Amino acid sequence: MGNRNNKWMVEIKLPDTSPADLRARQSVRATFKLSSACIDAISIVSKHLGIKQKSLFDHLAEDVKALQSIAREVRKTKQRRDHLVQKTFVISRRSLSSLDQVSKNYNAPRDSLVEYSVQRLLPLIENECRNQEKRKKLLTAVKKHFRSGALLLEKGEEMLGDEDPLLAKLVSAMDAYRNAVMEMDDIVEHGRHIEMIDPELLAQILEGT
């Protein structure tokens, strides 16, 4: 009887989360010395791309192979350490541990690992800004084409009436087209946040890196 009543306890599988994993997800404060360009880039990603700074650091630090590759390059390159700004960020304990470990293993400054990791995002941001403008232009052309199709459908209704099989195919095609246009509109609208990025500031950041 008791086993029957408690059957649901067996069927529900909870995620295997250890105390160590929970501690790794805890937020900690970490201070880095970074260039103004790097700090501005972090702000752009966080504010205009809708990514929390903590999540950004998690993304950068989880790619250990990339960090290791950056660390090897950092060792070969003489680093300019002037004109840096001390900035404190909230990141996960796991991300901080990953940065510290790679820094220690490769004898590379932790600040430089962050700096170069963020620089990797800048071309992606720049490319996304360009793509958003292209999407807007294409969507404008698509909407113009859709309006022409809608006028053609009206003309077909006048010529053939609502029951004609050819017209039915055209109605079906225009319905699918309308749904596609709405989905394209959503894609462009979702990208509106990146339009708020000041192109001059982005150019300055790219030049500063």
Side-chain angles (χ1 to χ4, degrees), residues 174-189:
M174 289 303 297
D175 285 343
Y177 198 173
R178 182 181 295 103
N179 291 334
V181 170
M182 291 173 62
E183 290 174 4
M184 293 181 210
D185 216 5
D186 288 341
I187 291 171
V188 170
E189 188 61 34

Side-chain angles (χ1 to χ4, degrees), residues 45-63:
V45 173
S46 176
K47 181 178 179 181
H48 298 304
L49 300 188
I51 301 172
K52 293 181 180 179
Q53 291 183 357
K54 180 171 180 271
S55 298
L56 172 61
F57 277 97
D58 285 345
H59 171 73
L60 296 175
E62 283 174 2
D63 193 345

Side-chain angles (χ1 to χ4, degrees), residues 75-92:
R75 288 192 307 182
K76 299 176 186 176
T77 308
K78 186 176 181 181
Q79 303 297 305
R80 288 185 56 189
R81 306 307 297 166
D82 54 337
H83 305 297
L84 298 181
V85 180
Q86 189 166 293
K87 181 77 173 177
T88 300
F89 297 93
V90 175
I91 69 176
S92 71

Side-chain angles (χ1 to χ4, degrees), residues 154-172:
E154 290 180 5
K155 186 176 180 180
E157 289 174 342
E158 293 174 359
M159 293 172 60
L160 299 172
D162 296 340
E163 303 300 324
D164 190 86
L166 189 148
L167 188 68
K169 291 293 184 182
L170 183 57
V171 168
S172 178

Side-chain angles (χ1 to χ4, degrees), residues 124-141:
L124 299 177
I125 297 171
E126 185 182 33
N127 186 60
E128 187 62 20
C129 288
R130 286 196 293 261
N131 283 344
Q132 176 66 5
E133 289 304 311
K134 293 175 183 177
R135 291 187 196 108
K136 288 166 61 179
K137 290 179 181 179
L138 181 58
L139 181 60
T140 298

